[in-house]
Amino acid sequence: RKILLIRPKISLANAGNYRELRWFTPWSKARHVEEYFLPRIIQEVTGQETVPFGDAVLATKDTCLGAEICEELWAPNSPHIEMGLDGVEIFTNSSGSHHVLRKAHARVDLVNSATAKNGGIYILANQKGCDGDRLYYDGCAMISMNGETVAQGSQFSLDDVEVLVATLDLEDVRSYRAEISSRNLAASKVNPYPRVKVNFALSCPDDVAVPTCMPIQWRHHSPEEEISLGPACWLWDYLRRSKQAGFLLPLSGGIDSSATACIVYSMCHQVCLAVKNGNADVLADARRIVNDDTYIPEDPQEFCKRVFTTCYMASENSSQDTCNRAKLLAEQIGSYHINLNIDAAVKAVVGIFSVVTGRTPRFSVYGGSSRESLALQNVQARIRMVLAYLFAQLTLWARGMPGGLLVLGSANVDESLRGYLTKYDCSSADINPIGGISKTDLKNFIQYCIENFQLTALRSIISAPPTAELEPLVDGQVAQTDEADMGMTYAELSVYGKLRKIAKAGPYSMFCKLITMWKEICTPREVASKVKHFFRMYSVNRHKMTTLTPSYHAENYSPDDNRFDLRPFLYNSSWSWQFRCIDKQVNAL
C-alpha cells in the first residue's frame, strides 16, 4: 500500500482521434526524477509525504521493471528499447488502444517485436468498452516473452474486467539476451536509468520446479467476426449507460440497414452468452432495460423482441421485394416489426409548398427538372427521419411499456465519404453502428451472418442491387440504383477514401497513384474523369459531415469531422488548378 514511483507519460497521442497535447504536456526530462509532494488525502492512506516522480524504473531483489504508457509502444523511439538495454526485464503497458478493423495484427506485432530484438517480458493491459463517444476499446490484453505470445486475453467481451496470468522464467530472458552480441555491445554504452529500489522479490527460492507457460499461436478474428462483435459490444455499452429501453431501426430491406439489424441481433447473442456464463452485471442491466426484475435472457430472438423495434417505411416508390425482405429478416432475428406508409405525409408536405408557391414539383421521369426530382427524394427521406423519432418515443407507450428507444442510423463509411445521403434523413439518428464500415466489408459480414446465424432472409438481400428507392418504379420494378446515382462503385469509393484520408492525396496525387493501380482496367483519361467526379462530389458534400450521426469508428479513412477528420467543410469544388494539372498530365500520357 505504498506508491513506489509516479511515471509520467513521455509520448502523447495527438493524431486521428486523439488530442492529448491540447490538455497535457509530455515529460521531456529523460532519466530525471523529482520528489513529488502527495496530496493530503493520499498521504493519509499511504503514510508517505513525497514519492519519486519521473523517468525511472523499479529494481526488485530479483529483476527490474519498467513502464510504458499507451502511445509510447507505437512511437519510433519507444522507451522499452533503452530500458531493455539498461537491464529492464519486465515491461508493463497500461494502454487505451481503440478498435479498428484489422488493427489487432499491428498491436500484437508491436508487442512481440518489442521483446524479439531485445529480449524481455512485455505485459499489455488494454481498456475495454465504449468511451462515451465513437470509439470502442477492445481489450486484447497479452503477455509476450522473447518475441512470442504466451498469453492472450479476449478481444471483445461484455465483462468489465479480465485478468490475464502467465508464469515465466527470468532466466529465459537472460539466456536469450546473452546470445545477442549486438544488443550487449549497445547495452554497455547505454545511459542508465534512475532505479527505485524495492525491498521484495517477484520470485521465490523454491520456484524452480514451477511449470512455465509455453508460446501460443495468436487467434485473430476475421473482419466479419470483428464487425459482429465490436459494434455489438459498443451498442450494449451505449444502451445500458444511456438507460434507454432498446433500439429502433428504419429497416429498408437493403444491405446497410440489414447489417445494422444483424449487429443488434449479435448484441443479443452476446448478452445471452454473458448471462449463461454467470455475468451478474449484464443480467442486472438486461433486467433494468426490459423492466423485469425476474427476467433471464436465454434466447437471442426472444431478447431481441424485447429490446429491438424495426420499421419499414413504404412509399409509392418502394417495391414489394424490399418490403418482403425486411419483414422476413425481422421475423428471423425476432424484432418487433412495424410496417407503415409515408405517402400521406409526403403529399401533405409537398402540398404546403404548392399552396404557397402555386407550383407542384415533379420527378424527372414525369418531365421535372433534376432540382425538382432531388427535392422530392429528399422530402421522403427526411419524413422517414421524423417518423423514426416519433415511433422511437411512442411505440413502447402505445404497447403499454415504459421507456423510449434509441434511433439507429445505417449509412456506411463510403456513402458518407461521397456524401451520398440526405442531410437529416434516416442517416440522422442517435448512433450508427456501421458508419465506419465499408460496403465491401458489410457484404462479407452479411455472408458471415447467413452462415453463422442461419439468417436465410439475407440471401435475397445480398444479391439485390443497392437502391435508395426514392424515385418512381418502372413497371413495378426498381429503376434507381446507388452505384448509378453515385457515378462510382463502392469498391472504387473504398480506394478513394484510403488515398484521400490515409495517404493524404489531393486530386493530382490521387490521379498519379491510380493510373498505376488501375492501369489494367482504365485509361489515364478515364482515371482522370473518375478522380475529378469523386473530388467534386466529396467537396460539395463535405458539409454533411458536420451533422453526421455519431458512428462506431472502424476505419482509418472515416470522414467523420467531429474529432477524427479535421479538414474544412467548405471547399472550392472546381479544384481548377489541380484539375488543370491532371489534364496536362493526361495529354502528355
Side-chain angles (χ1 to χ4, degrees), residues 324-344:
N324 293 340
R325 287 183 209 127
K327 184 170 181 289
L328 185 56
L329 178 60
E331 287 173 0
Q332 290 186 359
I333 64 175
S335 67
Y336 180 83
H337 191 61
I338 300 168
N339 266 318
L340 60 90
N341 192 291
I342 67 170
D343 284 336

Side-chain angles (χ1 to χ4, degrees), residues 11-267:
S11 298
L12 299 188
N14 209 58
N17 290 288
Y18 300 102
R19 297 285 176 276
E20 291 186 355
L21 281 172
R22 175 180 286 182
W23 308 109
F24 304 105
T25 304
W27 182 260
S28 58
K29 301 174 184 176
R31 319 289 203 280
H32 179 76
V33 176
E34 299 176 359
E35 283 297 299
Y36 176 75
F37 280 85
L38 291 171
R40 283 198 184 94
I41 191 171
I42 306 293
Q43 290 181 22
E44 290 170 5
V45 175
T46 68
Q48 297 166 280
E49 191 176 71
T50 64
V51 296
F53 184 112
D55 185 19
V57 296
L58 301 179
T60 67
K61 289 182 174 182
D62 54 351
T63 187
C64 191
L65 296 90
E68 286 192 319
I69 306 170
C70 198
E71 177 73 9
E72 292 168 7
L73 171 64
W74 302 76
N77 58 340
S78 294
H80 69 254
I81 300 168
E82 294 277 304
M83 285 194 289
L85 292 174
D86 192 33
V88 173
E89 295 177 324
I90 301 173
F91 311 94
T92 67
N93 190 326
S94 49
S95 186
S97 179
H98 66 278
H99 173 238
V100 171
L101 291 176
R102 305 172 180 87
K103 178 183 174 183
H105 294 268
R107 195 189 288 146
V108 172
D109 289 347
L110 277 170
V111 171
N112 283 336
S113 66
T115 59
K117 289 202 298 185
N118 211 352
I121 297 166
Y122 203 104
I123 305 167
L124 177 82
N126 191 35
Q127 189 175 335
K128 295 177 75 172
C130 165
D131 76 336
D133 204 330
R134 291 148 172 81
L135 302 184
Y136 178 76
Y137 294 91
D138 53 338
C140 225
M142 65 178 290
I143 301 172
S144 168
M145 183 172 77
N146 298 343
E148 295 184 291
T149 305
V150 293
Q152 173 188 357
S154 61
Q155 188 174 3
F156 303 101
S157 167
L158 299 186
D159 295 335
D160 281 340
V161 176
E162 180 181 13
V163 178
L164 206 56
V165 177
T167 303
L168 302 171
D169 190 343
L170 291 168
E171 292 299 330
D172 289 338
V173 173
R174 291 156 192 167
S175 60
Y176 183 89
R177 286 180 170 177
E179 289 293 312
I180 309 171
S181 176
S182 59
R183 179 237 166 240
N184 299 337
L185 284 170
S188 68
K189 294 178 281 190
V190 76
N191 182 14
Y193 278 80
R195 277 165 161 72
V196 177
K197 291 184 179 178
V198 186
N199 191 28
F200 61 74
L202 297 184
S203 56
C204 300
D206 55 354
D207 280 346
V208 178
V210 175
T212 57
C213 297
M214 301 304 292
I216 61 169
Q217 187 66 40
W218 188 277
R219 197 278 190 202
H220 285 286
H221 291 288
S222 68
E224 296 76 42
E225 287 176 310
E226 289 187 89
I227 294 170
S228 176
L229 297 169
C233 292
W234 181 74
L235 280 180
W236 176 250
D237 231 356
Y238 200 100
L239 178 61
R240 71 187 183 90
R241 288 163 63 178
S242 64
K243 295 183 168 52
Q244 297 301 298
F247 299 112
L248 180 136
L249 171 70
L251 183 61
S252 70
I255 286 175
D256 291 340
S257 62
S258 298
T260 305
C262 290
I263 289 171
V264 177
Y265 184 58
S266 175
M267 180 199 82

Side-chain angles (χ1 to χ4, degrees), residues 304-306 308-311 330 334-338 395-396 399:
C304 196
K305 174 78 76 176
R306 289 175 177 253
F308 191 33
T309 298
T310 49
C311 183
S335 67
Y336 180 83
H337 191 61
I338 300 168
T395 294
L396 295 182
R399 294 168 62 192

Side-chain angles (χ1 to χ4, degrees), residues 317 365 467 469 471-482 484-485:
N317 302 322
V365 295
T467 173
E469 288 196 324
E471 291 185 11
L473 303 174
V474 176
D475 299 326
Q477 299 300 311
V478 172
Q480 178 188 28
T481 64
D482 290 350
D485 265 8

Side-chain angles (χ1 to χ4, degrees), residues 383-503:
I383 280 170
R384 286 186 171 124
M385 186 269 287
V386 173
L387 287 170
Y389 273 96
L390 178 68
F391 275 81
Q393 289 177 304
L394 294 180
T395 294
L396 295 182
W397 168 79
R399 294 168 62 192
M401 299 160 67
L405 304 174
L406 292 163
V407 179
L408 295 182
S410 56
N412 64 63
V413 71
D414 296 330
E415 288 172 347
S416 299
L417 178 78
R418 159 65 172 74
Y420 185 64
L421 53 99
T422 302
K423 209 173 186 179
Y424 307 119
D425 72 339
C426 271
S427 64
S428 296
D430 292 314
I431 48 174
N432 179 1
I434 67 164
I437 304 172
S438 72
K439 192 80 157 190
T440 306
D441 283 336
L442 288 173
K443 281 184 176 179
N444 294 336
F445 169 62
I446 291 284
Q447 188 61 46
Y448 170 87
C449 291
I450 294 172
E451 296 164 6
N452 287 271
F453 294 142
Q454 287 74 52
L455 300 175
T456 55
L458 295 170
R459 288 189 182 131
S460 59
I461 290 169
I462 199 171
S463 61
T467 173
E469 288 196 324
L470 295 172
E471 291 185 11
L473 303 174
V474 176
D475 299 326
Q477 299 300 311
V478 172
Q480 178 188 28
T481 64
D482 290 350
E483 292 188 332
D485 265 8
M486 292 191 299
M488 57 192 75
T489 66
Y490 283 107
E492 289 170 346
L493 261 175
S494 290
V495 175
Y496 296 145
K498 286 164 186 162
L499 288 175
R500 175 64 183 148
K501 176 67 186 177
I502 300 171

